[in-house]
Amino acid sequence: NWKCGSSARDLFKVIMLLCFALLILLIPIKIPFNIYDEGFAVFNATRIMNGDIPYKDFWAIYPPGQFYTLAVLFKTFGTSLLISRVYDTFIRFIIVLSIWSIAKKITSRILADLAFITAALLLGSAKSYTYAVFPALALSLLSILNILKYINTGRLFWVLLAGILISFTAL
């Protein structure tokens, strides 16, 4: 929400915060492979790429949205553990940005920055990649942001968009 009169100093602070969060989230990207959550997600995505259908051809504890998303990414960029981890890092970055945006709307700038830093540190320390909860959390937070936009503007479009995001959360 930067206006034309925003100072270069404030913009520099925001850029530094974003770089800090991205660095914190990228540092653990080279940790050893986790055969459980990460392995299931990557393996099931490759099964989908080969024509299998979740719950018909294989059983999984997680909803299929994560598998389909990874399958699309693998088809587009190649099947690689790095691709899945970059995707997961991007999702975590969206979570951090969403928390910051929500906090800026409901509290002071200092507390919003503290929430941003805390979220980045917590998500950077979560060592499980491609965990299906992260995209669901990101979509839920984006839905909350849309509800807050609706409260500010009164436009029903934001409620509709929030509902669409919540429906994708279930997937």
Side-chain angles (χ1 to χ4, degrees):
N1 297 355
W2 296 100
K3 298 184 176 36
C4 292
S6 293
S7 71
R9 188 175 179 207
D10 288 340
L11 184 58
F12 178 74
K13 285 180 185 178
V14 168
I15 291 171
M16 292 306 295
L17 272 175
L18 294 175
C19 289
F20 167 78
L22 198 53
L23 178 66
I24 292 298
L25 294 173
L26 282 172
I27 286 173
I29 206 164
K30 298 293 273 182
I31 64 169
F33 178 67
N34 178 356
I35 201 164
Y36 294 103
D37 289 328
E38 184 175 22
F40 292 147
V42 170
F43 180 68
N44 289 334
T46 58
R47 290 189 72 172
I48 288 173
M49 287 174 50
N50 293 325
D52 287 353
I53 298 171
Y55 308 115
K56 178 181 175 247
D57 298 318
F58 65 92
W59 184 83
I61 193 168
Y62 299 116
Q66 181 82 320
F67 308 143
Y68 283 110
T69 303
L70 286 171
V72 167
L73 289 171
F74 290 163
K75 283 270 192 193
T76 305
F77 300 107
T79 305
S80 164
L81 192 58
L82 183 61
I83 296 299
S84 68
R85 288 184 173 194
V86 168
Y87 157 73
D88 187 83
T89 302
F90 175 73
I91 294 297
R92 291 177 196 212
F93 191 63
I94 288 175
I95 292 170
V96 171
L97 289 177
S98 298
I99 288 170
W100 190 37
S101 297
I102 291 168
K104 284 194 314 185
K105 291 182 183 303
I106 62 174
T107 190
S108 70
R109 179 65 185 258
I110 292 171
L111 290 176
D113 290 350
L114 183 62
F116 177 86
I117 292 167
T118 303
L121 290 171
L122 288 172
L123 287 169
S125 68
K127 300 293 190 242
S128 184
Y129 282 94
T130 62
Y131 185 43
V133 170
F134 292 146
L137 178 59
L139 289 168
S140 297
L141 290 169
L142 290 172
S143 180
I144 290 169
L145 271 171
N146 282 296
I147 293 298
L148 291 173
K149 284 184 182 183
Y150 165 72
I151 291 169
N152 288 336
T153 65
R155 293 187 57 212
L156 287 176
F157 167 78
W158 298 115
V159 174
L160 175 65
L161 189 54
I164 291 169
L165 290 168
I166 287 297
S167 67
F168 279 114
T169 299
L171 184 64

